[in-house]
Amino acid sequence: MSESRIRIDRIQRDIEELAKFSCVEGIGCTRFTYTKEWCCARDYIMSEMKKSGLKVYEDPVGIIVGVLEGKDSSKPIVMTGSHFDTVKTGGRFDGMAGTVAALEVARVMKEEGFVPDRNIEFVALPEEEGARFGKGLFGSRAMCGKISDDELNIYKDEKGISFAQAMREYGLDPSKVGEAIREPGSIKAFIELHIEQGPILENEKINIGIVESVAGLRIFDVFVHGRSDHAGNTPLTMRADSFLASAKAVCAGTEKALEIGENTVLTCGYIDVKPGAFNIVTNETHFQIDCRSRSLENVDKVLDEVRKSLDASCTQNLGLSYEIKEKISMKEVPMNENIKKLMEREADNAGISTRRMLSGAAHDAMVMGSICDVAMIFVPSREGRSHVPEEWTDYEDIQKGTELLYRTVKSLASK
């Protein structure tokens, strides 16, 4: 990479300081939205923004905003940043890399006396992971007008505290969520840097991933009803085994995803069986499937295969039945082609290697795509690992990503 103003020591300091604000000591980083640890992280970010010469405020849902004023504040702004909540016992880079990169871009712009043609907003967003309340991408959905009053009261944390109650305890008014909405046309572009959370960049020894699109995804709750019987005296041909039918369905869907390709994946990460004894045939099985692909058409094909398998099991075992309930559905979101090309040019000028790639994970950028142009920069994840304490991205890689973020944001704010 050519000589850069981006300072790796400041990036490392920010990441390490933010990692300290965790409610679980010594095991990764756990920081849930509106908690004491979250407040500490908020105060650190706001302090660093102010040191960078930004005008700083907290919006009605807890989004931290630092504004670098431009020559014409009436023009649509350029926005960059990421989230600063974490999953339970997660790592120190997921979300933080993008938040810290935005901070460093602001610092460099102050040091060089850069005055943009339009305002630039540096943001740190809450509850992207959904780890506390079970409903993620909250900050970006709030800006895009996608939060309902019901949601704030329905979704609760493991202690039974609702989103609305937590907001009040934190000092926010849930009735003012609508004031966080950004009107279409008010934002020119939203640019997010994030760790890849996969192994491709490291394996191919490429510095940066330029995201083509964020995959479409659907998440389903599946309930299979059977009958409990003795594990030793009930022949396999006479069982209504809810777990066996569930396992066959997951395998059938996985085989279909492999056949389709196109980055189509199926995951069953949760399963609950009843009565839950080793010597009793299961009578109730609840599992969740998460399916993602370049196209929701592919997701539908996988789900069809899951249904076919369950139908076959029910035909063979008359005591079986099932129901499927959709929990989340999000269409694939393409990134802006002009910004992708701009990134490729700027990366080439800086001597940074790139490749285009799909994001299988959901990010705030995909939500922001409903009101403005969006783009994403991926930096490598060691061994592709994320959402675990061992999550790691080399600081040199974050520096390269931040250099590209700086050049991209500066260019977009100068036109």
Side-chain angles (χ1 to χ4, degrees):
M1 184 177 71
S2 59
E3 188 176 348
S4 173
R5 297 184 180 91
I6 305 299
R7 283 178 47 183
I8 195 170
D9 61 312
R10 293 191 298 213
I11 291 171
Q12 181 172 350
R13 182 199 68 198
D14 288 342
I15 293 285
E16 292 178 353
E17 286 299 313
L18 286 167
K20 294 176 182 177
F21 306 128
S22 170
C23 69
V24 180
E25 198 169 325
I27 307 175
C29 185
T30 301
R31 183 168 53 249
F32 295 154
T33 302
Y34 304 142
T35 60
K36 178 182 68 175
E37 298 76 28
W38 195 80
C39 291
C40 291
R42 172 206 63 190
D43 292 345
Y44 177 86
I45 293 167
M46 293 181 79
S47 174
E48 291 302 311
M49 283 182 170
K50 289 173 183 176
K51 290 177 186 176
S52 301
L54 305 178
K55 291 190 175 182
V56 184
Y57 68 93
E58 187 176 29
D59 89 341
V61 297
I63 298 171
I64 302 169
V65 184
V67 183
L68 175 60
E69 293 188 332
K71 297 172 185 175
D72 186 351
S73 60
S74 68
K75 290 182 178 181
I77 67 163
V78 174
M79 182 181 287
T80 186
S82 192
H83 62 97
F84 67 107
D85 62 312
T86 74
V87 297
K88 187 175 182 180
T89 61
R92 61 177 59 187
F93 296 95
D94 181 0
M96 281 346 89
T99 300
V100 166
L103 280 176
E104 181 61 13
V105 168
R107 292 183 186 116
V108 172
M109 286 183 172
K110 178 192 178 185
E111 289 168 353
E112 66 181 11
F114 174 64
V115 180
D117 285 344
R118 63 187 73 233
N119 288 3
I120 301 174
E121 291 191 8
F122 302 86
V123 296
L125 304 171
E127 197 61 9
E128 189 266 358
E129 299 287 3
R132 180 175 181 185
F133 301 104
K135 188 76 169 175
L137 302 166
F138 179 70
S140 52
R141 289 192 298 113
M143 285 195 283
C144 296
K146 299 180 183 294
I147 305 294
S148 68
D149 292 336
D150 289 343
E151 174 181 327
L152 297 180
N153 292 307
I154 291 172
Y155 288 91
K156 299 179 180 181
D157 66 13
E158 60 184 15
K159 295 180 180 178
I161 299 172
S162 70
F163 223 129
Q165 181 183 343
M167 290 182 74
R168 284 190 289 267
E169 291 175 354
Y170 175 73
L172 299 173
D173 184 348
S175 68
K176 295 184 178 180
V177 166
E179 295 179 14
I181 294 175
R182 304 296 188 100
E183 295 300 322
S186 65
I187 303 175
K188 174 182 174 68
F190 177 83
I191 315 298
E192 182 175 9
L193 180 147
H194 206 279
I195 60 173
E196 180 194 350
Q197 300 179 287
I200 295 173
L201 293 174
E202 183 184 53
N203 286 352
E204 296 186 2
K205 295 181 172 54
I206 293 175
N207 301 140
I208 295 295
I210 295 176
V211 177
E212 281 269 35
S213 63
V214 178
L217 71 92
R218 282 186 175 154
I219 299 175
F220 300 91
D221 280 303
V222 185
F223 302 87
V224 183
H225 315 288
R227 188 184 69 195
S228 290
D229 282 301
H230 193 282
N233 291 323
T234 309
L236 287 173
T237 55
M238 298 178 66
R239 297 184 181 191
D241 186 334
S242 64
F243 171 74
L244 183 58
S246 301
K248 287 180 178 178
V250 172
C251 290
T254 302
E255 288 298 321
K256 188 64 177 179
L258 283 167
E259 176 190 319
I260 293 170
E262 296 185 9
N263 297 95
T264 306
V265 292
L266 176 74
T267 303
C268 175
Y270 171 85
I271 188 164
D272 178 48
V273 298
K274 289 182 174 56
F278 76 93
N279 57 356
I280 304 175
V281 176
T282 58
N283 67 347
E284 294 287 337
T285 300
H286 169 209
F287 65 97
Q288 292 178 327
I289 52 176
D290 175 321
C291 190
R292 311 183 187 211
S293 184
R294 288 185 180 274
S295 165
L296 282 186
E297 291 182 3
N298 292 336
V299 174
D300 291 339
K301 291 176 183 177
V302 172
L303 181 62
D304 285 344
E305 208 65 28
V306 171
R307 289 184 186 276
K308 287 178 184 177
S309 176
L310 289 169
D311 287 339
S313 292
C314 291
T315 299
Q316 294 164 10
N317 303 275
L318 297 181
L320 283 171
S321 64
Y322 73 92
E323 53 187 319
I324 297 178
K325 296 180 180 179
E326 185 173 83
K327 189 174 183 181
I328 296 174
S329 179
M330 303 185 78
K331 291 183 178 180
E332 62 274 17
V333 178
M335 302 291 104
N336 180 267
E337 183 63 27
N338 289 332
I339 301 178
K340 287 185 286 190
K341 289 179 178 177
L342 169 63
M343 286 178 172
E344 287 170 335
R345 290 195 300 271
E346 292 294 349
D348 188 57
N349 292 338
I352 297 171
S353 61
T354 65
R355 64 156 286 171
R356 293 197 179 193
M357 62 193 308
L358 178 76
S359 171
H363 297 287
D364 285 306
M366 71 184 296
V367 180
M368 297 300 292
S370 65
I371 63 169
C372 66
D373 292 337
V374 290
M376 290 195 72
I377 296 168
F378 273 176
V379 291
S381 294
R382 183 178 294 175
E383 297 180 359
R385 304 198 69 193
S386 183
H387 283 190
V388 293
E390 296 82 7
E391 175 183 275
W392 186 266
T393 293
D394 288 341
Y395 293 114
E396 291 83 358
D397 289 327
I398 300 177
Q399 181 188 34
K400 291 183 177 72
T402 304
E403 174 68 25
L404 181 55
L405 180 69
Y406 160 76
R407 289 168 176 254
T408 302
V409 169
K410 187 174 181 180
S411 178
L412 290 171
S414 298
K415 292 181 180 178

